[in-house]
């Protein structure tokens, strides 16, 4: 698949020119949202309420805009955070958000843009959505679960048929950084994140950490590539510094308000304002990409519920008869007629050997139950089959697992930057429960065996990564999708030190043809 080269400026991430030596004007650097064939939305956050100047040019188009900053009241730091982490209270001020939509653009066209904000100039570029005959490359991952505490904190890296509590080779910050670096080098058209972007949705510091990776000091990928997020259970989770180390209705609403403040997604047409921005559809060239919210099935604490610990929150139900279900069916029917491929994204993987693959219940893993199970989402599989969905992307179990159910490919791509789990049941499962995932076709834990030479890992294993999806017409003119499970492999010296990183692909590449 051919891709237009992005300048070296992009790949190094150096795109901000400081005109006068002073504190960085950007709380979050400019990032892209809600792309269409003739428009793009650019957003950024600042510590003051000064307007910014945006200039956009490309293919005969030149236009300037003045932003109208608004106080981002949903991003106020929780009092506990301010008390514990901010000696200088000025650093915990609520930021201002800038939101500019550029219209009257051409499809499949690259544009340059510059944001001038408080004596600083920031340069980047974007591509509009191509026409239906255009090629598309996108990447998908889940479970980055950012938090400042990720730095210096490694995650369990269970050894196949060995030490369940073995720790990974680097901390979560480095793992997520390297994963994003590899994504950026591949120059995708958009990035989809299937939930659990942050560790605690109501801890503002965790959102600050997410943007440090995506539009900040670690990387600025979101300045060039739009993000398509989904809501996970952690977006509803307050966290101890966000008010409570347990789910809570009022605090979950505050957490979702943070999520909604950052992202501008297509309108789903719901008359219920609480459902706005929680599920949406994007038509991107020859494909339809649908994101739904599976964070809280109804009725609560039944076999239809994905989170028994969350109740009373304004999350849309996904079960048959619900508003979201009816909306989803309508979108799938239309996409089947008008798109070459249809993809669906949500957080709770329905088929898995991870902890959330247990049936729903509150009696613990030892008894084969989980109170945050993805199993209730299986109710959507007949709908996906009926309308020819090609692949479903999810996370939640923080592993790379691929299942095929009724011809539909289900992926757990929860290897963004947090956990690297092994199975909780089935072969080499932690718990001795008579269960397995009969639909599983690939599990990195077992199907990519580690090969060591002394202290040096030379191949295989579970690592941070993502799915890369390429949609194109082959030499015969057939519309084709190629799904590649990418992992970022740590190159080690003979002493076991990580010295570099390399993009590798698990032996589980899938090629689909348009139906």
């Amino acid at each position: 698949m051919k891709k237009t080269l992005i300048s070296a400026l992009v790949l190094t991430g150096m795109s901000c020119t400081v005109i006068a030596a002073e504190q960085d004007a950007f709380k979050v650097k400019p990032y892209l949202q809600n792309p269409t064939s003739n428009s793009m939305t650019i957003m950024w956050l600042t510590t003051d309420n000064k307007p910014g100047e945006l200039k956009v040019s490309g293919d005969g188009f030149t236009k300037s805009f003045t932003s109208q900053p608004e106080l981002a009241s949903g991003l106020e730091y929780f009092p506990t955070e301010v008390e514990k982490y901010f000696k200088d209270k000025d650093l915990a001020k609520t930021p201002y958000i800038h939101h500019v939509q550029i219209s009257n653009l051409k499809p499949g066209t690259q544009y340059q843009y510059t944001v001038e904000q408080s004596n600083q100039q920031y340069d980047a570029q974007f591509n509009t959505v191509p026409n239906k005959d255009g090629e598309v490359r996108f990447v998908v991952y889940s479970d980055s679960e950012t938090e400042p505490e990720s730095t210096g904190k490694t995650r369990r890296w269970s050894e196949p048929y060995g030490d369940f509590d073995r720790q990974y080779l680097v901390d979560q910050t480095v793992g997520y950084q390297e994963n994003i670096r590899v994504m950026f080098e591949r120059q995708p058209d958009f990035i989809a994140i299937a939930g659990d972007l942050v560790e605690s949705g109501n801890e503002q510091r965790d959102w600050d950490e997410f943007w440090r990776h995506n539009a900040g000091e670690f990387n600025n990928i979101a300045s060039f590539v739009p993000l398509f997020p989904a809501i996970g259970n952690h977006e509803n989770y307050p966290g101890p510094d966000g008010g409570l180390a347990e789910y809570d209705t009022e605090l979950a609403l505050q957490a979702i308000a943070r999520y909604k403040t950052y992202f501008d997604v297509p309108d789903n047409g719901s008359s219920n304002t609480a459902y706005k921005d929680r599920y949406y559809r994007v038509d991107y060239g020859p494909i339809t990409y649908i994101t739904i919210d599976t964070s809280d099935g109804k009725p609560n604490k039944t076999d239809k519920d994905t989170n028994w610990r969350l109740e009373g929150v304004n999350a849309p139900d996904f079960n048959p008869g619900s508003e979201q279900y009816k909306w989803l069916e309508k979108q799938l029917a239309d996409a089947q007629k008008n798109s070459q491929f249809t993809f669906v994204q949500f957080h709770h993987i329905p088929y898995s050997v991870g902890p959330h693959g247990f049936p729903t219940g509150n009696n613990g893993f030892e008894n084969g139950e989980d109170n945050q199970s993805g199993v209730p989402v299986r109710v959507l599989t007949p709908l996906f089959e009926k309308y020819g969905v090609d692949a479903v992307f999810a996370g939640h179990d923080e592993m790379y697992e691929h299942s095929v159910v009724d011809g539909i490919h289900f992926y757990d791509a929860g290897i963004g930057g947090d956990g690297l789990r092994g199975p909780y049941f089935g072969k080499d499962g932690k718990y001795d429960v008579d269960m397995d995932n009969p639909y599983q076709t690939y599990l990195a834990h077992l199907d990519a065996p580690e090969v060591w030479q002394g202290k040096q890992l030379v191949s295989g294993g579970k690592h941070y990564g993502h799915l890369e999806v390429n949609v194109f017409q082959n030499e015969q003119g057939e519309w084709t999708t190629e799904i590649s499970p990418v992992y970022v492999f740590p190159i080690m010296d003979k002493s076991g030190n990580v010295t570099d990183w390399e993009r590798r692909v698990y032996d589980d590449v899938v090629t689909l043809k348009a139906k």
Side-chain angles (χ1 to χ4, degrees):
M1 179 179 177
K2 297 179 180 178
K3 296 294 294 180
T4 302
L5 289 177
I6 294 178
S7 65
L9 181 69
V10 178
L11 296 181
T12 60
M14 299 177 63
S15 58
C16 184
T17 302
V18 179
I19 299 173
E22 58 181 56
Q23 185 178 2
D24 194 343
F26 297 99
K27 175 79 171 180
V28 175
K29 290 176 169 49
Y31 61 97
L32 306 178
Q33 285 288 279
N34 204 351
T36 73
S37 60
N38 58 15
S39 68
M40 182 69 74
T41 296
I42 300 177
M43 301 172 66
W44 65 96
L45 278 79
T46 57
T47 55
D48 59 43
N49 63 351
K50 296 178 182 178
E53 297 297 324
L54 169 66
K55 298 178 181 178
V56 181
S57 62
D59 198 11
F61 180 96
T62 302
K63 195 168 184 178
S64 297
F65 306 82
T66 300
S67 67
Q68 301 296 322
E70 296 181 3
L71 185 67
S73 55
L75 305 184
E76 183 178 354
Y77 287 88
F78 200 80
T80 310
E81 293 183 280
V82 178
E83 180 182 348
K84 289 178 65 175
Y85 301 109
F86 292 94
K87 292 182 180 179
D88 184 351
K89 299 300 186 284
D90 286 342
L91 297 177
K93 286 184 176 179
T94 304
Y96 291 83
I97 194 161
H98 304 246
H99 181 286
V100 180
Q101 184 183 54
I102 306 103
S103 302
N104 299 316
L105 304 175
K106 295 180 181 179
T109 303
Q110 187 173 97
Y111 293 87
Q112 287 70 45
Y113 71 92
T114 297
V115 177
E116 293 186 4
Q117 184 74 48
S118 301
N119 295 322
Q120 290 187 24
Q121 178 177 306
Y122 188 87
D123 302 301
Q125 62 196 43
F126 65 81
N127 294 303
T128 51
V129 174
N131 290 321
K132 287 184 175 292
D133 60 352
E135 297 181 346
V136 178
R137 170 180 292 166
F138 64 93
V139 297
V140 188
Y141 68 91
S142 181
D143 298 271
S144 43
E145 294 189 27
T146 57
E147 58 177 340
E149 294 79 7
S150 293
T151 300
K153 182 179 177 181
T154 58
R155 292 306 303 267
R156 180 187 295 128
W157 188 43
S158 57
E159 182 182 11
Y161 301 104
D163 181 4
F164 183 80
D165 293 316
R166 182 184 62 163
Q167 297 294 298
Y168 193 56
L169 302 165
V170 298
D171 68 15
Q172 298 165 73
T173 298
V174 172
Y176 190 36
Q177 277 183 284
E178 292 300 323
N179 196 10
I180 291 178
R181 181 187 61 78
V182 169
M183 294 180 210
F184 208 169
E185 289 177 349
R186 298 292 292 176
Q187 303 168 38
D189 293 297
F190 66 86
I191 296 171
I193 311 176
D196 281 8
L197 287 68
V198 297
E199 176 66 25
S200 302
N202 204 36
E203 293 191 20
Q204 183 56 41
R205 293 165 60 254
D206 291 6
W207 284 106
D208 292 345
E209 190 74 6
F210 175 83
W211 291 109
R212 287 178 76 196
H213 283 278
N214 289 278
E217 64 182 280
F218 292 152
N219 204 301
N220 61 349
I221 192 168
S223 297
F224 302 86
V225 184
L227 305 182
F228 296 174
I231 293 175
N233 58 297
H234 278 267
E235 274 66 67
N236 288 280
Y237 183 64
D241 293 321
L244 191 67
E246 184 48 86
Y247 289 93
D248 173 83
T249 299
E250 180 181 351
L251 297 176
L253 293 175
Q254 292 179 18
I256 291 297
R258 299 183 194 276
Y259 171 92
K260 288 189 172 187
T261 298
Y262 281 120
F263 300 107
D264 179 2
V265 299
D267 187 4
N268 58 27
S270 176
S271 60
N272 187 335
T273 56
Y275 294 173
K276 294 287 188 182
D277 304 325
R278 297 188 71 127
Y279 55 91
Y280 58 95
R281 167 182 174 171
V282 177
D283 291 308
Y284 206 103
I287 73 170
T288 292
Y289 200 91
I290 296 173
T291 298
I292 63 173
D293 181 359
T294 60
S295 61
D296 192 30
K298 308 293 191 302
N300 186 54
K301 295 184 179 179
T302 69
D303 62 356
K304 301 179 185 301
D305 188 12
T306 47
N307 195 335
W308 285 32
R309 296 163 62 191
L310 180 67
E311 55 184 303
V313 71
N314 292 328
D317 186 19
F318 55 83
N319 284 285
S322 67
E323 178 180 328
Q324 184 177 205
Y325 183 95
K326 293 176 182 177
W327 175 90
L328 174 62
E329 182 166 22
K330 182 178 180 180
Q331 307 312 311
L332 292 176
D334 181 76
Q336 187 179 41
K337 295 177 182 177
N338 295 300
S339 298
Q340 298 293 341
F341 296 97
T342 303
F343 305 106
V344 178
Q345 163 181 267
F346 50 79
H347 184 59
H348 295 74
I349 185 70
Y351 307 94
S352 169
V353 293
H356 304 308
F358 287 111
T360 187
N362 208 34
N363 291 313
F365 299 146
E366 297 89 346
N367 296 305
E369 292 184 353
D370 173 48
N371 58 28
Q372 296 195 76
S373 172
V375 171
V377 191
R378 294 182 184 182
V379 72
L380 299 180
T381 299
L383 199 64
F384 298 153
E385 181 187 17
K386 179 178 179 180
Y387 294 106
V389 170
D390 295 283
V392 172
F393 306 117
H396 199 37
D397 265 337
E398 299 178 5
M399 54 176 58
Y400 176 67
E401 184 175 12
H402 175 200
S403 303
V404 180
V405 186
D406 297 330
I408 305 159
H409 295 267
F410 287 83
Y411 290 94
D412 182 347
I415 51 176
D418 185 50
L420 292 168
R421 290 178 176 146
Y424 273 50
F425 59 87
K427 295 178 181 177
D428 196 31
K430 174 177 172 60
Y431 296 97
D432 186 17
V433 177
D434 186 20
M435 292 175 56
D436 207 343
N437 173 14
Y439 306 105
Q440 181 191 102
T441 62
Y442 195 93
L443 179 69
H445 178 84
L446 296 174
D447 295 322
E450 299 171 8
V451 178
W452 291 82
Q453 293 179 354
K455 297 181 178 180
Q456 184 181 34
L457 179 66
V458 295
S459 66
K462 305 184 296 291
H463 304 283
Y464 293 115
H466 55 273
L467 293 169
E468 179 179 299
V469 183
N470 287 291
V471 182
F472 56 95
Q473 286 181 285
N474 64 17
E475 294 179 355
Q476 290 73 40
E478 300 172 304
W479 278 104
T480 304
T481 286
E482 186 177 84
I483 305 175
S484 301
V486 175
Y487 62 103
V488 185
F489 186 79
I491 304 298
M492 303 171 67
D493 62 22
K494 292 183 179 180
S495 298
N497 301 307
V498 177
T499 59
D500 203 355
W501 299 84
E502 181 176 89
R503 178 185 185 273
R504 296 187 182 182
V505 178
Y506 288 121
D507 187 21
D508 187 40
V509 177
V510 169
T511 301
L512 306 173
K513 298 295 176 62
K515 299 169 184 174

